Structure formats: C-alpha cells, structure tokens
Amino acid sequence: MKNYDFLLISNEPSWVDRCGDISTEFGYTFKSVDSIEAYSEQESEIKEPHFVLISAEKVKEDSEISGMVQVVRQMAPSSYILVVISSKLNPSVAAFVKKSGANAVLMENEFFLSSKLEFISTQKIKSSYLPVKANELVLETTIPFPLFHLMP
C-alpha cells in the first residue's frame, strides 16, 4: 500500500500533465487514475491520499457529480476533495457538490487559467504555510516567526 499526497481522477492528458508538473514542483507524491471505478479497483493499493482532485468538467448532471464525490468521500473520508466542474454549469451546482462532500469546487477555467490549484494544494498537502493578509500585520512591530510571501 503506497501513500500519495496528490491523487488525480481524470483520463485527460492535459490534466495529468498539469497536476504532475505541480507535484514535481512542490515535491508531492502523485498518482493518476482514469476514473472513480479505477480508483475503487486500486483502493487496496493506495493509502488514503491527502488531496484528491476529481475532474468532472465533462459531466452534465449535478447528481452524477455528487455521486462521484460521495464515492470518493466514502473511500477517503479524511482526504481534501477538490472537484473541477464545467464553466458552463450553473454556479448553484458548486454549492450542491460541496454539500455532497467536496471541500472545494473550481470551475474549469479557474483550473487552467489561475493558480488556485497550486494555492489550495500547497495549503492542504504541506500545511506548513499559513496565509497571512497584509492588513493583519501591524506597522512598526516585529513578527516573532519566519514569514514567506507566496507570489501568484
């Protein structure tokens, strides 16, 4: 049984490449499976991952997306589940998917055109960096710990 930081559930090569590059850059252990069914078949070989990304951008029915999330939640109850849905779907679908057990939902355009995936994955997998807003820092004071600035 192998422990992975980042599990991608997608059969799209562009998704595998993007997530593989992020995993290499940040030093995550990475595994990709083609489908929920493939994950369930390999469940005994994969220890519960820290972070699961479900590609649901081609799924049109919100109930089907919800079912995917519920299956993954059952197999990996303490994993952080991020679901990417089609940008064409109604935003209310995102709320429904979160109620079904996903921790976060991104639209497809956010997945490819922003650094939200990098930010969320570093926060959830490494958890050694905590976000601090500039307005939380007080002028003319010393911070008693190291502080790093994450560039977008």
Side-chain angles (χ1 to χ4, degrees), residues 119 123 128-134 136 147-148 150:
F119 180 77
Q123 295 302 304
S128 58
Y129 300 109
L130 300 174
V132 176
K133 295 179 182 174
E136 294 174 342
L147 183 67
F148 300 93
L150 180 63

Short mmCIF file of all heavy atoms in Angstrom, two decimals, residues 119 123 128-134 136 147-148 150:
data_model
loop_
_atom_site.label_atom_id
_atom_site.label_comp_id
_atom_site.label_asym_id
_atom_site.label_seq_id
_atom_site.Cartn_x
_atom_site.Cartn_y
_atom_site.Cartn_z
N PHE A 119 -2.33 27.00 -4.98
CA PHE A 119 -2.53 27.56 -3.64
C PHE A 119 -3.24 26.55 -2.73
O PHE A 119 -2.79 26.28 -1.62
CB PHE A 119 -3.33 28.87 -3.71
CG PHE A 119 -3.57 29.47 -2.36
CD1 PHE A 119 -2.56 30.14 -1.71
CD2 PHE A 119 -4.80 29.35 -1.75
CE1 PHE A 119 -2.76 30.69 -0.45
CE2 PHE A 119 -5.02 29.90 -0.49
CZ PHE A 119 -4.00 30.57 0.16
N GLN A 123 -1.58 24.46 0.54
CA GLN A 123 -2.16 24.65 1.87
C GLN A 123 -2.64 23.33 2.48
O GLN A 123 -2.48 23.11 3.66
CB GLN A 123 -3.32 25.65 1.82
CG GLN A 123 -2.92 27.04 1.44
CD GLN A 123 -1.89 27.62 2.38
OE1 GLN A 123 -2.11 27.67 3.58
NE2 GLN A 123 -0.76 28.03 1.86
N SER A 128 2.30 23.62 6.02
CA SER A 128 3.29 24.27 6.86
C SER A 128 3.27 25.79 6.67
O SER A 128 3.90 26.51 7.42
CB SER A 128 4.69 23.73 6.56
OG SER A 128 5.00 23.92 5.21
N TYR A 129 2.57 26.23 5.66
CA TYR A 129 2.45 27.65 5.41
C TYR A 129 1.01 28.08 5.63
O TYR A 129 0.09 27.50 5.09
CB TYR A 129 2.87 27.99 3.97
CG TYR A 129 4.30 27.62 3.67
CD1 TYR A 129 4.59 26.56 2.83
CD2 TYR A 129 5.35 28.32 4.24
CE1 TYR A 129 5.90 26.21 2.57
CE2 TYR A 129 6.66 27.97 3.99
CZ TYR A 129 6.93 26.92 3.15
OH TYR A 129 8.21 26.56 2.90
N LEU A 130 0.84 29.10 6.43
CA LEU A 130 -0.49 29.61 6.71
C LEU A 130 -0.63 30.98 6.07
O LEU A 130 0.30 31.80 6.16
CB LEU A 130 -0.72 29.72 8.22
CG LEU A 130 -0.62 28.40 8.98
CD1 LEU A 130 -0.72 28.66 10.48
CD2 LEU A 130 -1.69 27.44 8.54
N PRO A 131 -1.77 31.26 5.46
CA PRO A 131 -1.93 32.57 4.81
C PRO A 131 -2.06 33.68 5.85
O PRO A 131 -2.73 33.54 6.86
CB PRO A 131 -3.22 32.40 4.01
CG PRO A 131 -3.95 31.28 4.66
CD PRO A 131 -2.91 30.39 5.28
N VAL A 132 -1.37 34.77 5.58
CA VAL A 132 -1.45 35.96 6.42
C VAL A 132 -1.74 37.13 5.50
O VAL A 132 -1.01 37.37 4.54
CB VAL A 132 -0.12 36.20 7.18
CG1 VAL A 132 -0.18 37.50 7.97
CG2 VAL A 132 0.21 35.03 8.07
N LYS A 133 -2.80 37.84 5.78
CA LYS A 133 -3.15 39.00 4.97
C LYS A 133 -2.32 40.20 5.42
O LYS A 133 -2.00 40.34 6.60
CB LYS A 133 -4.64 39.31 5.12
CG LYS A 133 -5.52 38.22 4.57
CD LYS A 133 -6.98 38.54 4.75
CE LYS A 133 -7.82 37.40 4.22
NZ LYS A 133 -9.23 37.61 4.50
N ALA A 134 -2.00 41.05 4.47
CA ALA A 134 -1.17 42.22 4.77
C ALA A 134 -1.83 43.11 5.82
O ALA A 134 -1.14 43.67 6.68
CB ALA A 134 -0.91 43.00 3.49
N GLU A 136 -3.36 42.21 8.36
CA GLU A 136 -3.24 41.60 9.68
C GLU A 136 -1.90 41.96 10.35
O GLU A 136 -1.71 41.71 11.52
CB GLU A 136 -3.38 40.09 9.59
CG GLU A 136 -4.76 39.65 9.15
CD GLU A 136 -4.86 38.16 8.91
OE1 GLU A 136 -3.82 37.49 8.74
OE2 GLU A 136 -5.99 37.66 8.88
N LEU A 147 8.41 34.57 7.98
CA LEU A 147 7.27 34.86 7.13
C LEU A 147 7.72 34.81 5.68
O LEU A 147 8.74 35.38 5.31
CB LEU A 147 6.72 36.26 7.44
CG LEU A 147 5.48 36.70 6.69
CD1 LEU A 147 4.28 35.85 7.11
CD2 LEU A 147 5.17 38.17 6.96
N PHE A 148 6.98 34.07 4.86
CA PHE A 148 7.28 33.94 3.44
C PHE A 148 6.13 34.50 2.65
O PHE A 148 4.97 34.34 3.02
CB PHE A 148 7.49 32.47 3.07
CG PHE A 148 8.61 31.83 3.81
CD1 PHE A 148 8.38 31.13 4.99
CD2 PHE A 148 9.91 31.93 3.35
CE1 PHE A 148 9.40 30.54 5.68
CE2 PHE A 148 10.94 31.34 4.04
CZ PHE A 148 10.70 30.65 5.21
N LEU A 150 3.99 34.33 -0.74
CA LEU A 150 3.66 33.47 -1.87
C LEU A 150 3.26 34.35 -3.05
O LEU A 150 2.29 35.09 -2.99
CB LEU A 150 2.51 32.52 -1.52
CG LEU A 150 2.06 31.58 -2.62
CD1 LEU A 150 3.19 30.61 -3.00
CD2 LEU A 150 0.84 30.80 -2.17
#
